[in-house]
Amino acid sequence: QKEVEQNSGPLSVPEGAIASLNCTYSDRGSQSFFWYRQYSGKSPELIMSIYSNGDKEDGRFTAQLNKASQYVSLLIRDSQPSDSATYLCAVNPSASNDYKLSFGAGTTVTVRA
Amino acid sequence: DTEVIQTPKHLVMGMTNKKSLKCEQHMGHRAMYWYKQKAKKPPELMFVYSYEKLSINESVPSRFSPECPNSSLLNLHLHALQPEDSALYLCASSHRDRGTEAFFGQGTRLTVV
């Protein structure tokens, strides 16, 4: 079982729609969860961090965490063509190993104008 | 300011060459990382330095040699690389206390010929 799994893409959404990205993780002791956006040929950019159960909103982005279900998601509202990128879910697998981040394979999102 | 600066942006080297990748951050972060990313794959952790000491080596071949001269600088020395080592090399840094909320540099695109 992979440590971090993301819903397979690519995901194509029309401009103005909501893009929904899902991520599950295997280590129940995981404490920190991150979403990175990576444009083609560029480096990952941190867009959301979430540490507690529930929702966290930042502009058009909402991260949702459910530790009991070992599930974290990212919603992108009012999707824009500039949101077209690969989104990487990253998880800190254990509180005793603060430095390791496990990445999912990524979900590529295309926003159609 | 969440800037991690990597040089060079692009590097082409022969299999017998010795070269170095450089990374710099002035955010006061005490953890610094080297990741390797192949096309359409997530970043793979190579090394972690915590408070200028090597804390994680993910069984990386000895042809990759990391160095942390001070808390702001991180180098990756390269020697006798193989064509399969061609990849995007990413440096990242994080506050030790923030559960690995890591910020990436723009990367060095390495081609081994």
Side-chain angles (χ1 to χ4, degrees), chain A residues 29-86:
Chain A
S30 300
Q31 298 292 319
S32 311
F33 308 86
F34 310 95
W35 284 99
Y36 287 85
R37 177 177 64 198
Q38 188 171 26
Y39 293 113
S40 181
K42 302 296 185 182
S43 63
E45 174 191 9
L46 180 67
I47 56 171
M48 289 291 281
S49 307
I50 188 166
Y51 304 93
S52 304
N53 280 331
D55 294 358
K56 179 181 178 183
E57 187 174 318
D58 184 359
R60 295 185 295 108
F61 298 102
T62 299
Q64 300 172 316
L65 175 61
N66 184 325
K67 290 185 179 180
S69 300
Q70 296 176 236
Y71 170 92
V72 58
S73 66
L74 180 72
L75 299 177
I76 308 173
R77 291 185 304 281
D78 187 24
S79 295
Q80 302 297 308
S82 59
D83 296 324
S84 298
T86 296

Side-chain angles (χ1 to χ4, degrees), chain A residues 32 34 36 38 41-46 48-49 51 56 88 91-92 97-101 103-106, chain B residues 31 33 35 37 42-43 45 48 50 55-56 58 88 90 96 98-107 109:
Chain A
S32 311
F34 310 95
Y36 287 85
Q38 188 171 26
K42 302 296 185 182
S43 63
E45 174 191 9
L46 180 67
M48 289 291 281
S49 307
Y51 304 93
K56 179 181 178 183
L88 296 162
V91 176
N92 176 214
N97 192 347
D98 286 339
Y99 303 114
K100 290 196 73 168
L101 276 180
F103 283 89
Chain B
Y33 313 76
Y35 284 85
Q37 187 176 27
L45 182 64
V48 179
S50 170
S55 64
I56 295 177
E58 291 286 270
L88 181 66
L90 296 161
R96 168 67 173 83
R98 292 189 187 176
T100 61
E101 187 179 65
F103 298 92
F104 285 85
Q106 76 274 34
R109 177 75 59 188

Side-chain angles (χ1 to χ4, degrees), chain B residues 5 21-26 29 32 34 49 52 67-76 91:
Chain B
I5 300 167
L21 309 184
K22 298 186 183 299
C23 176
E24 186 172 359
Q25 58 88 13
H26 297 286
H29 289 174
M32 296 185 76
W34 282 114
Y49 274 83
E52 301 157 50
E67 178 195 21
C68 188
N70 61 53
S71 61
S72 299
L73 297 175
L74 186 66
N75 298 322
L76 185 64
C91 175

Side-chain angles (χ1 to χ4, degrees), chain B residues 6-45:
Chain B
Q6 288 188 243
T7 55
K9 289 185 172 57
H10 300 275
L11 178 63
V12 179
M13 61 183 291
M15 290 188 283
T16 59
N17 291 159
K18 288 185 180 181
K19 295 287 185 184
S20 297
L21 309 184
K22 298 186 183 299
C23 176
E24 186 172 359
Q25 58 88 13
H26 297 286
M27 296 178 279
H29 289 174
R30 301 314 298 266
M32 296 185 76
Y33 313 76
W34 282 114
Y35 284 85
K36 173 182 176 179
Q37 187 176 27
K38 302 282 270 185
K40 300 192 184 302
K41 297 290 187 183
E44 297 175 40
L45 182 64

